[in-house]
Every structure is written in C-alpha cells, then in structure tokens.
Amino acid sequence: MTRDVLLTCPLDCPDACRLKVTLGSEDGGPERMLKVTGDPDHPVTRGFACAKTVHYPARANHPERPLYPLRRVNKKTDPEAQFERVTWEEALDDIAAKMRTLLETRGPHSILRYHYAGTMGLMEGHHVHAIFRALGTPELDETICASAGTEAWSMGYGTRYALKLEDVAQAKLIVLWGINSLSTNSHLTPHLTAARKAGAKIVCVDPYRNRTAAFADQHLKIAPATDTALALGVMHELLAHGWTDAAYLAQATLGLDDLREAAREWTPERTAEVTGLSAAEVRDFAREIGTTRPTYIRVGYGLTRHEYGGTSLRAITLIPALTGDWRHRGGGCAMSASGAFKLNRSQLGAAHLTRPNTPHINMNELASALEPQRGLGALFVYNTNPAVVAPDSGRVRAGLQREDLLVVVLEQAMTETARLADYVLPATTFAEHADLYTSYGHHYLGYNPAALGAPAECRPNTWVMQGLARRLGVEEPSVYWTVDDLLAHLLDTDHPHLQGITPERLKAEGSVPLNLPSEFLPFAHGAETPSGKVQLSPAPRYTPARAELNAEYPLRLITPPAHHFLNSTYGLLDNLNRAEGQEPHLLLHPADATAYGLQDGHYAQIESEVGQATRRVKVSEQPQRGVAVLEGTWWGLSAPDGESINVLTAETLTDLGGGSTFHNNRVRLRAVEAGGADD
Ligand SMILES: Nc1nc2c(c(=O)[nH]1)N[C@H]1C(S)=C(S)[C@@H](COP(=O)(O)OP(=O)(O)OC[C@H]3O[C@@H](n4cnc5c(=O)[nH]c(N)nc54)[C@H](O)[C@@H]3O)O[C@H]1N2
Ligand SMILES: Nc1nc2c(c(=O)[nH]1)N[C@H]1C(S)=C(S)[C@@H](COP(=O)(O)OP(=O)(O)OC[C@H]3O[C@@H](n4cnc5c(=O)[nH]c(N)nc54)[C@H](O)[C@@H]3O)O[C@H]1N2
Ligand code: SF4
Ligand SMILES: [Mo]
C-alpha cells in the first residue's frame, strides 16, 4: 500500500519545490518515504525534482540515521566516536542541568546556538531559536551564505524583490553572472530555454566552465573577484554610447554623477587588463546589454564569496538602473525573491526579546569563538554541519573536541559534526513535522503537515527546545508555540501581498502564490531605500584582493556547489558520491598541472595559509589558468585525507555584511601519494 502526499522541499535552495512524496510500508513495517518526484501541477516545480532530492528517501531511511538520543561515551578526541543510547528524559534532564549551571555560574553568554538553513522551515529553522532569545544567549549573525549579497542589494534597492519567474521568458538577453543555475537553481532552466526559443541569447560570467557555462551561448571566463571592474566597464560603455534610460535615471535613481565618475577609467582596454577578458569581449558584452531590452541578469551568491564580494554584487545589480530594464517585463536583475514575503515576523524566533546589549557572534568566525579563552561552555548545533561547511573547519573541529565544551547536535544524519557531539539528538525530516516555507527563488508560500510518523524516537527541533525550556522554567509564551500559533502570527498582517492568505487556505491548498500584481515590476519607479530611489552612490569601486596571488601562493581556489549535493546534505549517499566522481577532484588547467608536475589522477597536497588538504587532480580545460576548482562540500570522510576542503578556508569576511569568502583561498600545490605522504 502506498500513498502520495504533496510537500515543500525544505532544503536551502531557491526553488523550494513542491514535491510528490510516495509513502508506504514495504514489508509490514512502519510507513516510510519511498519515492520523491516533482508535483506536475506546480507552476514552478513542473513535475521534476532535482538530481539530488530524488534520492532523499535514501537519506531519510539511511542505516546510520540517528533514531534515539545518543550520549558520547569516549573522548571527543578519540578517532572513532562511541555513543550509548539514552532516553529523552535522561538526555534533556542532563543537558538542562548543565545549562542551568552555566547560566548560574557564567551567565547566558556562555551558551551559543549555531544553525543555518538545513531546513528553511519557519518553525524548525527560525522559530526554534526562541528559547535562546528568552535566555539571553549571544545572537548568531547568519552570514555564511547570503549576507554580503543582502547588504549590497539593500544599499542599492532596499528590499530583495525578484521578478516573476514566468516573466524571464520575455527577456531577449540573459546574463547568468556568478551562478551555476543549472545545478543550483534548476527550476530556472525551463524559463531560460523558453526565452532562448523566443530568440534570447544567454551569457554566463564565471571563472570556470561549469554546467551553466556549457549550456550558455557565450561564456565570459572572468578572473575571480574582478566583477566590479567588468560591471564598471559595462557602465563605461553604456554611458559613453548613450545606452542609458535618461527618464528612468532622472525619476528613479540618485547618485548618477558619482557612478559616472567611478566608471570613467574603465575603458574596454583597462577592463580587459583586470578581468582577463579581451577588450572586444568587454565591448561586445556592453553593447549587447546596452542595446537589448529586456535584459535579465541573474546574479548568484558565488561571486560575493570574496573579500570585496559585496561591492561586486552591488556593481552588477546597478547595471539595470542605467539601462532602465526595471521598466520592462522580463528585465532587471534577480538575486533573491525573499523580500516579497511580507509576513509578520515580529515574534518569529522571539525576535521581540532581542536585547540591544547582547553580544553578536559571526557564524563565519566559529573557529575563533570556540577558542577556550572566549568562554563558551555549551554549543547547540542544528540545521547545519559546521565541522564540514564552516571556514577554518580544522579549528572548528578542534573546538568541538574540547572536553570542557558541551556540544549538543540535533541531526537527521550522522554528520561529522554529530560525531563530535556529547549528545546527538535525533531530528525529524520535512515529511515528519509540520512547517511553513517561503522561497528565495519564487513567490509561493508552502505548508507541510506532518505527513509521516516520526521514526523511532526522532523529534522536531522545537520539541527538543520546548523540553529544555520547561526544565529551565522559561515562561516566554512564544517559546511554546505550535505551528498553528506561528502560522496565525505570521499571517496576521494587512500587507497586500498576503491578502486572502489565511491559515485555513494555506493548509487546504499547500502551496499558495503571494498576492502580487499581475504586472510585477518592483523597481520600475524607484526602490525601497530611505530616499525611495535606487541608490547609485556611494559608487562601487574596484579593489584588488588583499590576499593577492604571489610566488608563494600562486593559485586561486574556488569551491562552488556540486550538482549532486546540496551543501553537505547528500554527502553520505554512495550513489551521489559516485555521480560526483567517487572522491573530490581538484580541477586544474593543463598549464598549471604541468607546472607542478601533476597528471590526471595524481594526488596533490593543497596548502593555504590556514591549512592543508590532499585531493586527486583532474586536468581539465574547465578552469582558467591560475584558478583551481573543487566542486562540492564533500564529507571529509569521502576525501583521501579525511579533511573537509574548508580546512583551507580562512575566516576572512567580505567588505559588506560580514560574509564568507569560500572562493578567496590562495593556495600552492605539491605532488603527494594519497593520504598526504610525500612522493
Ligand atoms: N546542486 C546544488 N544546488 C545548490 C547548492 C548545492 O550545494 N548544490 N547549494 C545551495 C545554496 S546554500 C546556495 S547559497 C546556492 C549557491 O548557488 P550559486 O550562487 O550558484 O553557487 P556559488 O557558490 O554561490 O557559486 C556559483 C558560481 O560562482 C562562481 N564564482 C566564484 N567566484 C566568482 C567570481 O569572482 N566571479 C564570478 N562571476 N563568479 C564566481 C563559481 O565558479 C560558481 O560557478 O545554491 C543552492 N543550490
Ligand atoms: N567550501 C565551501 N564551503 C561552503 C560553501 C561553498 O560554496 N564552499 N557554501 C556555504 C553555504 S552557501 C552554505 S549555505 C553552507 C551550508 O552548510 P550547512 O548549513 O551545513 O548545510 P548542509 O551541509 O546541507 O547541512 C545542513 C544540515 O542540517 C540538517 N538538517 C536538515 N533539516 C533539519 C532539521 O529539520 N532539523 C535538524 N536538527 N537538522 C536538520 C541536515 O541533516 C544537514 O546535516 O555551507 C557553506 N560552506
Ligand atoms: S533541492 Fe532545490 S531543486 Fe532540489 S527538490 Fe529541493 S527545492 Fe527542488
Ligand atoms: Mo548557501
């Protein structure tokens, strides 16, 4: 007996698909997840799930999935983790007692919550923080992914609005700039194809030939972290040739003179020098943007993961303010759609309890925050896997291993972070708990009921936090909200985007479009900045990376997402590891490989200023010379040396938003045997 349910995909991906999930019991055992495809009737999902999430059942039913609360019995520095099964009662009593001692002896600043978007659910991903706000523990700045982009966008435009996906097909020129959308935003692809059928040209701007570059009509293989120069080079030509929309500039923007001044030096020749493109490429690219309406630019967060990544993103996103593309359906620029979800978030995660003098910890600096002298006594990790994904992961692991730090990890999988925990608390998946979802790639709100019984003793994150809060005597009511309470609160708003969307309707329909005007041109007349205009000043200016390449560190290492993984979420599945080449590969340009005496299949030790890792080399024309690429945040367990690639990543922050700089590593290579020994 099987049955199908429709559920929203909870993963950190712009597509927030509506999935058709088949549940059933194969052998008379409890019902479980058997199959995942896309809802054929959903206008964004269009019947297909991606190459990764069709394998979600294998992760939900994985033999190593934690099903009971587990307590560490050996030292966290021992190589093989050993746990014993305990009851929820024992686990929560002990953890609460330890929290109480910390609160009484060292105060709330000795306890840190650490989380990201493993689930994007507003209940299990956001509201779950409420207990920590009630206790007054430090604020975690959620900077690992989008904060540089968000800050940059906010300077120019205020709110993050994106055009309607279905309007993309009307664009005549599409620029995919620092986004590998065929892998990371795959439900954009049908719209790209439709636009192309109607005559659009597609250009990809990326330092290496990823899937999206191969799909595009043209690939501009830009030198990493030089996008500000290219954007200013484009603006130089727009201004020089009068390919600008004077009426739009006058009505909707502020600061043109400053921008004109910043663009003045960026002739095609000068731009070519910095970006590694030819002057002709720059000139043609600018002319195409200047003379094609509508032009749609889709920027990714990838290009922001550099020291001046915020400025790069800002420079690119201001191009449509010069061309006036915002006035044309299908034109403009998109980074995130999330600003359109005008929910009432005033008490989400007990935000109303945030105190002005609470210390903030930037999540990219976890390695430093875990140093003993910083005084943390307990760390609660949920919805993220910092032993693998966080910068300077070697130091993060060393911090998690401290015997004087209580590490509690709420997990669905036996991740490398969970293996370093004092307590692993088994978490439910999106099919097993109710939740509400927004999206950063489209405009549908999603609701999932708990469609499937929780296996064994798995519990939602919020159930765990409420259990702790009760034991600690927390009285704040919002800590104890149910999903229905949260839903009622979030939808308690008069904003027109949410008009007609009630909890009852959302539950009945499952996926409901925001109530946007049929012609949604959010920046056609200005922006949601304090001035009400698109803010062109202070104009973005190009600054070369401080970590410049030199004789000691001659290569730039870029580590973007893999097609078959979602961050580290699918790294435990053998078949998806195989689909990605069985082990992580370092893509090297033939000239760079020759320079190091490396051949296809050899192992290289990669050294950065903060760490070293060993990877197998794949010689390839995909990257440009001087740029090494390693796709995917693989589990260290799948790497020849057992290390995450982020042992190489420094804690360096971006210019805006305190963001991560995963693509900024400068490295050198050495040929070695597998495992790291010298030749
Ligand atoms: N398959 C798959 N999908 C995913 C994810 C995944 O891991 N796998 N992760 C999800 C998450 S959390 C996110 S944030 C998004 C991220 O999705 P993207 O925004 O697509 O990914 P990024 O790491 O941000 O890198 C995108 C591209 O930026 C390029 N890039 C790096 N440096 C530069 C530069 O200086 N200039 C330019 N122009 N390009 C540069 C990289 O080479 C890469 O091709 O994807 C989501 N979707
Ligand atoms: N080198 C390099 N590093 C990167 C990146 C890169 O491009 N290059 N990308 C960065 C980016 S953009 C991001 S967003 C981060 C993402 O990194 P993470 O936030 O660590 O994302 P995932 O690796 O997918 O891990 C999410 C974890 O949450 C768990 N989880 C999911 N749902 C639930 C739930 O309901 N309850 C609980 N308790 N757990 C749940 C999953 O089992 C999974 O182990 O990685 C960053 N790290
Ligand atoms: S990971 Fe993204 S593309 Fe894949 S099913 Fe989930 S939302 Fe859709
Ligand atoms: Mo991300």
Side-chain angles (χ1 to χ4, degrees), residues 288-353:
E288 278 169 354
I289 292 180
T291 58
T292 314
R293 302 278 75 73
T295 288
Y296 169 76
I297 304 176
R298 176 68 165 93
V299 279
Y301 288 109
L303 71 106
T304 69
R305 311 203 196 290
H306 294 277
E307 289 165 57
Y308 296 98
T311 298
S312 287
L313 189 124
R314 201 165 114 67
I316 297 162
T317 57
L318 294 182
I319 291 173
L322 293 187
T323 58
D325 266 304
W326 292 116
R327 304 211 285 185
H328 303 266
R329 203 162 171 165
C333 183
M335 179 184 77
S336 165
S338 53
F341 293 85
K342 300 280 191 186
L343 298 164
N344 171 12
R345 295 168 199 255
S346 59
Q347 293 192 47
L348 179 65
H352 60 294
L353 297 183

Side-chain angles (χ1 to χ4, degrees), residues 139-164:
E139 283 295 309
L140 184 78
D141 289 339
E142 295 190 69
T143 49
I144 204 162
C145 176
S147 61
T150 301
E151 175 82 19
W153 186 277
S154 143
M155 282 173 76
Y157 292 102
T159 313
R160 284 174 292 165
Y161 291 124
L163 37 158
K164 289 186 178 173

Side-chain angles (χ1 to χ4, degrees), residues 9-11 13-17 19 48-53 186-187 566 570:
C9 178
L11 298 179
C13 167
D15 297 10
C17 288
L19 301 174
F48 73 96
C50 63
K52 24 194 203 299
T53 293
S186 53
H187 292 79
L566 195 295
Y570 290 105

Side-chain angles (χ1 to χ4, degrees), residues 367 386-400 420 610 643-649:
V388 172
V389 308
D392 213 345
S393 59
R395 272 171 70 225
V396 169
R397 286 190 196 213
L400 297 173
L420 293 174
V610 300
E643 299 283 2
S644 158
I645 198 68
N646 284 320
V647 294
L648 302 172
T649 309

Side-chain angles (χ1 to χ4, degrees), residues 199-268:
K201 175 177 175 180
I202 302 177
V203 182
C204 170
V205 185
D206 203 286
Y208 85 110
R209 191 172 167 82
N210 57 22
R211 276 177 201 251
T212 304
F215 164 86
D217 301 299
Q218 188 186 3
H219 177 199
L220 297 177
K221 222 179 209 182
I222 189 171
T226 64
D227 303 86
T228 301
L230 181 57
L232 288 169
V234 168
M235 294 186 199
H236 177 278
E237 293 293 281
L238 299 178
L239 292 161
H241 295 273
W243 294 323
T244 52
D245 182 335
Y248 183 82
L249 281 165
Q251 186 216 357
T253 74
L254 269 185
L256 178 60
D257 290 346
D258 190 21
L259 190 60
R260 191 191 300 277
E261 183 51 39
R264 189 181 307 279
E265 66 174 293
W266 293 98
T267 60

Side-chain angles (χ1 to χ4, degrees), residues 266-494:
W266 293 98
T267 60
E269 288 68 28
R270 169 100 180 92
T271 306
E273 228 171 83
V274 169
T275 57
L277 304 171
S278 72
E281 280 175 313
V282 175
R283 212 173 257 120
D284 289 348
F285 182 49
R287 182 179 36 76
E288 278 169 354
I289 292 180
T291 58
T292 314
R293 302 278 75 73
T295 288
Y296 169 76
I297 304 176
R298 176 68 165 93
V299 279
Y301 288 109
L303 71 106
T304 69
R305 311 203 196 290
H306 294 277
E307 289 165 57
Y308 296 98
T311 298
S312 287
L313 189 124
R314 201 165 114 67
I316 297 162
T317 57
L318 294 182
I319 291 173
L322 293 187
T323 58
D325 266 304
W326 292 116
R327 304 211 285 185
H328 303 266
R329 203 162 171 165
C333 183
M335 179 184 77
S336 165
S338 53
F341 293 85
K342 300 280 191 186
L343 298 164
N344 171 12
R345 295 168 199 255
S346 59
Q347 293 192 47
L348 179 65
H352 60 294
L353 297 183
T354 311
R355 301 160 208 199
N357 53 355
T358 303
H360 283 243
I361 291 187
N362 183 320
M363 72 182 296
N364 294 318
E365 297 175 324
L366 179 64
S368 294
L370 293 180
E371 284 183 351
Q373 74 275 12
R374 295 282 294 272
L376 280 183
L379 180 75
F380 286 80
V381 181
Y382 46 97
N383 308 335
T384 186
N385 182 15
V388 172
V389 308
D392 213 345
S393 59
R395 272 171 70 225
V396 169
R397 286 190 196 213
L400 297 173
Q401 287 177 317
R402 275 172 47 201
E403 287 302 330
D404 61 337
L405 179 75
L406 172 70
V407 177
V408 179
V409 177
L410 285 64
E411 251 304 351
Q412 304 164 337
M414 221 42 206
T415 62
E416 285 152 90
T417 307
R419 286 166 208 247
L420 293 174
D422 294 288
Y423 277 102
V424 180
L425 303 180
T428 42
T429 69
F430 73 107
E432 301 153 6
H433 55 238
D435 215 328
L436 171 73
Y437 300 88
T438 60
S439 160
Y440 57 100
H442 61 66
H443 296 117
Y444 289 76
L445 263 179
Y447 174 81
N448 292 353
L452 182 63
E457 294 186 9
C458 295
R459 294 289 179 270
N461 297 337
T462 44
W463 182 91
V464 176
M465 299 309 179
Q466 290 172 359
L468 291 172
R470 248 177 242 113
R471 285 169 173 78
L472 291 168
V474 170
E475 286 174 2
E476 162 62 25
S478 64
V479 171
Y480 301 100
W481 279 359
T482 62
V483 176
D484 284 339
D485 294 330
L486 181 67
L487 204 51
H489 174 78
L490 289 167
L491 293 175
D492 180 15
T493 161
D494 293 331

